[in-house]
Amino acid sequence: QVQLVESGGGSVQAGGSLRLSCAASGYAYSRYDMAWFRQVPGKGREGVAALNMNGFAYYADFVKGRFTISQDNVKNTLILQMNSLKPEDTAMYYCAAERENRGLPILLAYNYRFWGQGTQVTVSS
């Protein structure tokens, strides 16, 4: 049974930082692409950052230079370090694993098989 559990969300002021974690269990974690997505009410999930199975990172343009995705293979944990947060970063953040069609863009939500329950990030101005 594959499980992804996010943590680290919360409320911060603009310019602050948060560190999100996604603890993975039930499969060989490092063998799959993994990603972070976010969603606000009434909109679809948008890709934030991804790490492919070779360790190469991809970022959405709106987070480049502010967010960093990484992994702790010992702890089977995917991490998203978020700095210089803006009010528009407010969303529910989700961890996803196993990109089913690796020929499609890596930050495409519907292409991921496994999802966590999400963690809320709120940034106030």
Side-chain angles (χ1 to χ4, degrees):
Q1 182 84 16
V2 174
Q3 282 193 321
L4 302 173
V5 180
E6 301 97 334
S7 61
S11 298
V12 295
Q13 290 191 326
S17 299
L18 283 173
R19 181 181 173 93
L20 304 184
S21 295
C22 172
S25 62
Y27 69 107
Y29 161 81
S30 61
R31 293 175 55 190
Y32 298 113
D33 298 338
M34 296 192 72
W36 288 97
F37 292 84
R38 68 187 188 185
Q39 187 173 25
V40 297
K43 292 189 176 181
R45 290 184 184 182
E46 63 177 355
V48 176
L51 205 59
N52 73 7
M53 64 176 65
N54 298 314
F56 193 83
Y58 300 80
Y59 296 95
D61 287 343
F62 53 80
V63 302
K64 282 181 180 177
R66 300 189 298 125
F67 292 10
T68 303
I69 189 171
S70 62
Q71 61 188 26
D72 182 334
N73 287 333
V74 175
K75 296 181 180 179
N76 273 12
T77 301
L78 184 72
I79 297 164
L80 185 68
Q81 178 66 44
M82 305 187 296
N83 299 326
S84 302
L85 283 161
K86 304 175 181 180
E88 51 263 44
D89 293 319
T90 295
M92 184 71 80
Y93 283 71
Y94 296 91
C95 171
E98 193 177 350
R99 185 162 59 121
E100 295 187 290
N101 183 342
R102 303 193 76 247
L104 294 177
I106 198 169
L107 288 176
L108 199 59
Y110 72 77
N111 199 26
Y112 281 81
R113 183 178 178 189
F114 301 111
W115 291 86
Q117 83 289 347
T119 185
Q120 177 68 36
V121 171
T122 302
V123 185
S124 57
S125 58

